[in-house]
Amino acid sequence: MIDGKEIIKDEENCYNCGCNLKPICPDHEDEKEENKMRVRVQKVHTNAKMPARAHKTDAGMDLFFCPAPKPELDSQIETVLPFGSSVIPTGLKIEVPEGYMLEIKNKSGIASKRGLIVGACVVDRGYTGEIFVNLHNVTHRNQTLHEGDKIAQAVFVKVETDVRLVEADHIYDEDTTRGDGALGSTGDR
């Protein structure tokens, strides 16, 4: 039996020949990867972790607590006091592509198990600073974060900015079934 990996081990280029060994060819880039939108991420601190999806089908990319390094400390923590909030650094700057916003959202486990909820969550295109996460502690206990802990998730959301708002006497041309019923208007059950 011929070992294809052995045959191409000394090759320096992928010739796009259609073989099933493409993923191990030098310089080969999967077509799916090739077609993905590229977004630049800059580490503000060398210890920053890149955003990461736990599963390739996840909408959100995990963000991690990354304080500015202090050489005199082995590690750093941040404590969010009961019913208080803290602005937590990620150590990252993230490009927001044209036609998108970056929304910072709760991680379900952190919200449900630790009571840490994200506030102030939209990063607009053109923002060039470090991404910070505003975490609110809705519990009666201190919540301590250690460097490298997951704190939130980031989701790219397509937005329409080519919109002209027009003042009007009504917002729809016809009545809607929804009407102006607001909070709780559909009942609890």
Side-chain angles (χ1 to χ4, degrees):
M1 179 179 219
I2 297 174
D3 182 1
K5 293 177 188 174
E6 186 64 28
I7 293 172
I8 67 164
K9 72 177 183 189
D10 296 323
E11 288 293 327
E12 294 181 13
N13 298 303
C14 178
Y15 296 102
N16 203 18
C17 64
C19 73
N20 62 353
L21 297 172
K22 274 188 173 182
I24 63 167
C25 280
D27 299 326
H28 169 72
E29 195 165 303
D30 189 345
E31 286 179 30
K32 289 181 182 176
E33 286 296 314
E34 208 173 272
N35 293 330
K36 285 185 178 178
M37 176 174 35
R38 296 180 187 268
V39 174
R40 291 175 280 205
V41 178
Q42 179 184 354
K43 289 184 175 183
V44 177
H45 310 301
T46 56
N47 57 330
K49 289 183 172 184
M50 289 290 285
R53 287 186 168 88
H55 306 280
K56 66 180 184 177
T57 56
D58 289 352
M61 301 168 289
D62 293 336
L63 297 176
F64 305 88
F65 170 43
C66 180
K70 293 185 179 175
E72 67 276 11
L73 300 175
D74 289 335
S75 65
Q76 296 183 61
I77 62 170
E78 174 76 26
T79 300
V80 186
L81 299 175
F83 304 106
S85 67
S86 292
V87 177
I88 310 296
T90 65
L92 301 172
K93 294 180 178 184
I94 302 175
E95 174 188 22
V96 179
E98 185 72 41
Y100 287 83
M101 70 173 192
L102 183 64
E103 189 171 3
I104 311 303
K105 302 188 75 61
N106 295 317
K107 287 204 48 73
S108 60
I110 295 169
S112 65
K113 295 174 184 170
R114 300 188 65 187
L116 292 173
I117 308 296
V118 173
C121 62
V122 172
V123 180
D124 293 308
R125 173 162 173 78
Y127 175 66
T128 60
E130 180 177 357
I131 303 294
F132 291 90
V133 177
N134 183 6
L135 283 181
H136 299 273
N137 179 358
V138 296
T139 73
H140 292 280
R141 300 177 317 277
N142 286 345
Q143 293 296 331
T144 301
L145 299 168
H146 298 269
E147 185 177 330
D149 282 355
K150 292 178 182 179
I151 53 174
Q153 59 184 324
V155 178
F156 285 106
V157 178
K158 206 165 191 36
V159 295
E160 182 60 58
T161 56
D162 191 18
V163 174
R164 183 172 60 102
L165 300 178
V166 179
E167 187 175 348
D169 295 329
H170 55 277
I171 57 173
Y172 295 104
D173 292 332
E174 300 171 2
D175 288 340
T176 68
T177 57
R178 175 78 170 117
D180 62 0
L183 306 172
S185 66
T186 59
D188 293 337
R189 295 180 188 237

